[in-house]
Amino acid sequence: MAKVISTLFISADGVAEIDPDWHFPYFDDNMGRAVTEDYDTSDVLLIGRETYDSFAGAWPDREAAGGEDAPFAKQLGDMRKVVVSRQPLEFSWRNSELVDGDLVNAVTALKADAGVKGILIPGSISVVQQLLAAGLVDELRLLIHPVAARKGRRLFDDGDGAYHLRVTATEVFPTGVIRVIYAPAEAPGAVGYDDIKDQVPAGS
């Protein structure tokens, strides 16, 4: 089964809607390496309409310009891009297609496709939220910036149940950015105060 991996730039207060003012000052070689590692996991990009419009409006021109970021732009162009949209789209970027039918069913089919190496979701908060709710996200790869954004869309929306996670890797960059990779986990057993009161600090 192919893994579904979500990669997100996120603030310390959980905002995943990027503001260049708080994001770009923290982008360094370490973050570039982390992003490269994330993209190397997969051969399919799964993105929402807004993310597609943003990417398609920038990366083809950067590839054509032949600058320092052209190799990465070419990598993005060469990848298969499955776009989640409620409306039909006319694609201007090569290797782009509309998600086939229901999102959960389409992603389940992609995961089971022997020809798919991996599925990466860059940004695309609403897509990630839907797949988290469906239990289809295998890894959350967060680059947590040392800033409280205080406005913008958050990754974890209100819901009825908690998402339990386990940490599989962490790394702290010199900028203060923390890279954390989470995987889904079973909920811990029920614990009340009486179960932990022997751990309460002793008074001085």
Side-chain angles (χ1 to χ4, degrees):
M1 296 286 285
K3 279 187 176 182
V4 172
I5 296 175
S6 164
T7 178
L8 289 158
F9 305 120
I10 192 167
S11 68
D13 57 342
V15 172
E17 182 179 351
I18 297 174
D19 183 335
D21 288 343
W22 61 253
H23 169 55
F24 285 130
Y26 295 101
F27 203 104
D28 65 353
D29 290 344
N30 294 288
M31 194 179 289
R33 169 182 52 81
V35 170
T36 297
E37 290 173 1
D38 292 347
Y39 276 84
D40 284 347
T41 65
S42 304
D43 54 356
V44 174
L45 289 185
L46 179 66
I47 49 180
R49 168 69 181 271
E50 291 183 7
T51 301
Y52 176 81
D53 287 345
S54 175
F55 278 26
W59 289 111
D61 290 342
R62 292 169 182 168
E63 180 181 354
E68 292 181 350
D69 54 0
F72 181 64
K74 182 180 184 304
Q75 179 183 350
L76 292 181
D78 289 343
M79 292 180 76
R80 179 183 175 190
K81 291 166 284 291
V82 179
V83 184
V84 181
S85 174
R86 293 185 178 90
Q87 300 175 349
L89 298 176
E90 291 187 8
F91 294 111
S92 58
W93 199 12
R94 68 184 185 275
N95 299 323
S96 300
E97 63 192 75
L98 194 65
V99 71
D100 184 14
D102 174 75
L103 174 62
V104 170
N105 291 339
V107 172
T108 300
L110 280 173
K111 285 172 64 72
D113 187 337
V116 174
K117 169 186 171 184
I119 304 149
L120 186 69
I121 313 171
S124 306
I125 301 168
S126 64
V127 174
V128 176
Q129 290 173 340
Q130 291 175 69
L131 296 182
L132 279 171
L136 289 175
V137 176
D138 298 291
E139 287 186 2
L140 276 174
R141 297 189 173 204
L142 305 182
L143 288 160
I144 305 169
H145 295 49
V147 58
R150 303 185 65 198
K151 62 179 180 179
R153 191 170 183 187
R154 286 170 167 76
L155 170 60
F156 297 109
D157 54 356
D158 291 341
D160 294 330
Y163 293 128
H164 294 275
L165 306 167
R166 61 184 176 87
V167 176
T168 63
T170 61
E171 186 178 3
V172 180
F173 299 157
T175 57
V177 169
I178 304 172
R179 185 188 191 195
V180 184
I181 300 178
Y182 290 107
E186 295 294 328
V191 175
Y193 179 75
D194 288 343
D195 300 302
I196 57 90
K197 62 185 179 182
D198 60 330
Q199 306 297 323
V200 173
S204 58

